[in-house]
Amino acid sequence: MKEVVKINLDNEMDLILAHKRSMKIAEMCGMPTSAQTRFSTAVSEVARCSIANGKDSVLTLGINVIKATQKEIVAILTDTVDLKRSNPEAFKYAAKISGNIEYSFADNYSITKLSHPVSSPGLLSDAKIRTLADYFKYEPPVSPYDEIRKKNIELIALSEKLGESENRYRQLANTIPVLICIVNDRNNILLVNDSLKQILKAPFLNFDKREISSFIHPDDVNHIMDNWSKVKKNRSQFSGETRIKSGSSYLWYLISIIPNPSEDGTLNNWLIYFVNINDQKKVEETLKNNSELKLIQSELENANSKLVFKNKELQQFAYIASHDLQEPLRKIMIMLSRAGEHLSEEQRTQYYFDKMTSAAGRMSSLIADVLNYSRVDNKELKFTKVDLNEVVRETLSDLSLVIEEKNATVNIGELPVVSGLNGQLRQLFFNLVNNGLKFNSAEPTVTIASGERAGDSADNFSPEGNYHAITIADNGIGMDSEYSGRIFDMFQRLHQRDQYGGNGIGLALCKRIIENHNGIINFTSQPEKGTTFFIYLPK
């Protein structure tokens, strides 16, 4: 139903309004005079019963659009009393003259509906229905009583809106963690929010020296009162800092006093609020008073800058030294090769050619390893997504000749995609798989697997957190637990050079790569039973 007009049924004047407006709506809908009279009389009968016997009665008149070609005028009367039971004769008469009446009563609420079809529904458009509602909205009063009643209804609605607005404002003022009060120019407190009330030990009635001394630091009271006097005199505002009592101590607050003009522009009161800045003051005082800390910070920054510079110099030195050392070594090895071409085996042994050639080769390998170690630095590089399955495939391709030569077996499980540096991760897997192949007296078997974490494995040092766990296990010669503390140190060799080659840099390089990736590397090993390395890379 599209509502046109609503009437509260309280007295006989409301009964007159109900009859006149029912008649007027019927007339404006094009109903014949006889139908107008029957409909408005039926509405009046029920309305009379409601005024006499009901409570909180409301009559709503409107248009019900059933479909485009079928519309009806409707009167709905609601009440908290069972009207039909209180006066069945009135309902019987209304049904007799109207013909279309429905009644229901449930949960202490009655609804009476009277309706009458509109004879020319096509003429009653949505625009016409809105015109009906506007007519009654601006309809001239039937009597002085009706005029006063309209004004009272408007005032009540305005008062309710004002009350809602005040409640929202009060709720907001009480919710925010700011101490708020409103003071007029006679120092009277007009409003105090809950946050400020919790701090006050007594009612806050006047903004004067005596009352603010109960919660403001004694050294700040005169300063605030002096500025309060200036604010009132100059009609201005003030902002400053003060200390407010909190238990046995005081906390720093920012105090602001700003004008709070009324709707007509007159200025008779001010908004005063306090915002807690105690944490900021602590930081300021710490930085201000601790000059020694500032000096240390400055020295640390200088030392850090020098360290960065020295590291760059060291990297450059390692690269240059490695490059420059490789060149004379290559020449020595070439000359040794040429010099030994025309010597017999006895002469080669006599002049130590094989030992010199071997020493020069080891020196070249050592320089290359040192250079690789110095280059493992990711500060200038960006991590990308690295598929470890692809990394392992490329590693095994590089080691294919060794695998074939040693008749080795490499088992590979599904490996994760991690965030890292592709080149460094290839070095990591190359060194660990190569160790499993090299340090082996039987046919090597290397198994590479992964899981969420290795906490359920033999590793007793698995980290807490969200890590990918990768294991690389071999069936090689293994090592004693006494070496576990220095296996990742530079130049550490656990076997004679003539037994197994290498410079003792491979595992140190692996550890540095893992550290660059914010990961962890551990291992377990037993002599003649093999070694398992545990690699943890953050997800």
Side-chain angles (χ1 to χ4, degrees):
M1 185 187 75
K2 297 183 178 180
E3 182 182 314
V4 175
V5 66
K6 185 178 285 186
I7 305 166
N8 293 323
L9 300 176
D10 295 325
N11 52 44
E12 292 298 324
M13 284 301 302
D14 298 326
L15 181 61
I16 295 171
L17 285 175
H19 184 272
K20 285 183 175 293
R21 288 174 178 170
S22 299
M23 194 83 173
K24 188 65 179 178
I25 289 178
E27 176 191 345
M28 296 174 77
C29 288
M31 293 169 60
T33 305
S34 59
Q36 297 174 26
T37 304
R38 288 198 307 274
F39 179 74
S40 58
T41 302
V43 171
S44 298
E45 281 299 312
V46 179
R48 188 191 308 279
C49 174
S50 179
I51 291 171
N53 305 295
K55 183 181 180 183
D56 302 324
S57 302
V58 177
L59 172 65
T60 304
L61 299 169
I63 307 297
N64 187 23
V65 180
I66 301 170
K67 54 185 179 180
T69 57
Q70 187 179 358
K71 297 171 185 175
E72 61 183 7
I73 181 172
V74 179
I76 297 176
L77 192 147
T78 59
D79 206 306
T80 56
V81 172
D82 189 351
L83 294 179
K84 189 173 183 179
R85 184 178 180 183
S86 62
N87 193 344
E89 294 300 323
F91 276 81
K92 190 180 295 184
Y93 181 64
K96 181 179 179 181
I97 58 176
S98 173
N100 296 311
I101 182 169
E102 300 173 11
Y103 179 80
S104 64
F105 179 75
D107 298 327
N108 296 322
Y109 191 74
S110 67
I111 301 175
T112 307
K113 177 182 176 182
L114 298 101
S115 61
H116 197 287
V118 177
S119 54
S120 301
L123 299 176
L124 201 58
S125 63
D126 288 344
K128 182 67 180 292
I129 295 172
R130 286 195 295 270
T131 303
L132 289 176
D134 290 340
Y135 172 83
F136 288 106
K137 186 176 181 180
Y138 303 108
E139 174 193 26
V142 177
S143 64
Y145 165 80
D146 188 35
E147 178 68 17
I148 293 171
R149 182 181 178 81
K150 278 187 174 181
K151 294 296 182 184
N152 283 340
I153 291 172
E154 291 176 2
L155 286 172
I156 289 170
L158 183 62
S159 175
E160 288 175 352
K161 288 182 180 179
L162 182 61
E164 290 175 4
S165 177
E166 288 180 349
N167 287 336
R168 284 196 297 269
Y169 173 77
R170 188 176 296 276
Q171 185 178 8
L172 176 63
N174 288 333
T175 303
I176 58 176
V178 177
L179 315 181
I180 300 174
C181 63
I182 296 178
V183 187
N184 65 15
D185 53 5
R186 295 186 299 278
N187 295 348
N188 296 324
I189 303 294
L190 305 180
L191 179 144
V192 178
N193 77 333
D194 288 349
S195 298
L196 182 54
K197 286 179 182 177
Q198 291 174 4
I199 289 178
L200 301 171
K201 301 300 181 184
F204 193 25
L205 304 177
N206 295 289
F207 196 78
D208 55 28
K209 187 174 181 178
R210 182 181 64 83
E211 293 210 20
I212 71 169
S213 296
S214 65
F215 65 96
I216 298 291
H217 194 284
D219 295 344
D220 302 338
V221 172
N222 289 334
H223 178 65
I224 291 176
M225 293 311 301
D226 289 345
N227 282 284
W228 169 234
S229 299
K230 292 177 184 177
V231 163
K232 289 193 294 181
K233 181 179 178 180
N234 301 327
R235 292 300 196 254
S236 59
Q237 59 185 20
F238 163 72
S239 180
E241 295 177 354
T242 187
R243 288 159 287 182
I244 292 181
K245 197 167 187 179
S246 176
S248 59
S249 60
Y250 286 86
L251 303 179
W252 280 101
Y253 280 77
L254 176 70
I255 175 175
S256 297
I257 305 176
I258 58 175
N260 187 34
S262 58
E263 291 184 3
D264 61 3
T266 58
L267 180 57
N268 297 316
N269 58 69
W270 281 261
L271 175 67
I272 303 177
Y273 62 89
F274 305 84
V275 180
N276 190 319
I277 57 168
N278 198 64
D279 291 339
Q280 294 93 310
K281 289 292 290 185
K282 283 183 177 179
V283 172
E284 290 174 8
E285 290 174 0
T286 300
L287 293 176
K288 181 179 178 181
N289 298 329
N290 201 339
S291 57
E292 183 180 350
L293 178 60
K294 287 184 178 180
L295 181 61
I296 292 172
Q297 286 177 333
S298 177
E299 290 176 352
L300 283 174
E301 288 174 1
N302 291 334
N304 187 55
S305 298
K306 291 178 181 177
L307 183 60
V308 170
F309 179 74
K310 290 294 183 184
N311 279 338
K312 287 184 177 179
E313 281 188 334
L314 184 60
Q315 289 177 1
Q316 292 173 353
F317 167 77
Y319 179 77
I320 293 169
S322 300
H323 181 271
D324 290 350
L325 286 171
Q326 286 280 18
E327 186 60 28
L329 273 174
R330 278 195 292 271
K331 291 180 180 178
I332 291 171
M333 293 173 73
I334 291 170
M335 287 187 287
L336 283 172
S337 177
R338 289 178 180 175
E341 287 177 355
H342 305 291
L343 297 178
S344 64
E345 284 298 321
E346 183 180 349
Q347 289 173 320
R348 290 172 66 88
T349 303
Q350 182 181 355
Y351 296 115
Y352 304 105
F353 267 75
D354 290 342
K355 291 185 178 180
M356 286 188 288
T357 302
S358 176
R362 288 197 305 275
M363 185 67 177
S364 178
S365 175
L366 178 60
I367 292 170
D369 286 345
V370 171
L371 181 60
N372 284 334
Y373 186 83
S374 69
R375 284 174 172 173
V376 178
D377 191 349
N378 67 325
K379 293 181 175 61
E380 305 276 334
L381 301 173
K382 290 184 179 179
F383 279 22
T384 59
K385 295 294 183 183
V386 180
D387 187 348
L388 294 184
N389 297 288
E390 184 64 27
V391 168
V392 170
R393 280 194 291 271
E394 293 171 354
T395 300
L396 296 184
S397 176
D398 294 341
L399 292 168
S400 59
L401 292 178
V402 179
I403 294 171
E404 184 178 349
E405 178 186 323
K406 291 209 166 192
N407 196 24
T409 301
V410 181
N411 302 310
I412 309 169
E414 186 67 24
L415 300 177
V417 175
V418 301
S419 178
L421 303 170
N422 189 287
Q424 291 190 14
L425 292 172
R426 282 190 63 183
Q427 282 184 295
L428 172 72
F429 278 89
F430 182 91
N431 284 340
L432 293 177
V433 174
N434 187 46
N435 279 356
L437 299 173
K438 179 169 64 175
F439 297 105
N440 205 307
S441 58
E443 290 187 356
T445 298
V446 178
T447 301
I448 305 172
S450 73
E452 290 299 309
R453 287 179 64 251
D456 56 348
S457 70
D459 178 21
N460 296 322
F461 304 99
S462 57
E464 295 295 331
N466 203 12
Y467 287 88
H468 293 292
I470 299 114
T471 58
I472 301 177
D474 63 57
N475 63 340
I477 60 174
M479 68 190 86
D480 290 326
S481 58
E482 63 181 286
Y483 301 116
S484 61
R486 53 192 178 93
I487 186 175
F488 294 111
D489 293 342
M490 286 277 285
F491 306 116
Q492 288 298 318
R493 292 181 50 82
L494 307 182
H495 311 89
Q496 296 298 320
R497 194 181 305 276
D498 56 355
Q499 288 182 296
Y500 300 100
N503 297 306
I505 294 178
L507 290 180
L509 183 65
C510 290
K511 185 177 182 182
R512 189 165 183 185
I513 290 171
I514 289 295
E515 289 172 349
N516 281 350
H517 287 75
N518 299 312
I520 297 171
I521 183 169
N522 291 315
F523 76 97
T524 58
S525 184
Q526 293 184 29
E528 305 306 327
K529 290 187 178 181
T531 302
T532 300
F533 284 93
F534 301 91
I535 300 167
Y536 301 95
L537 295 173
K539 290 192 177 179

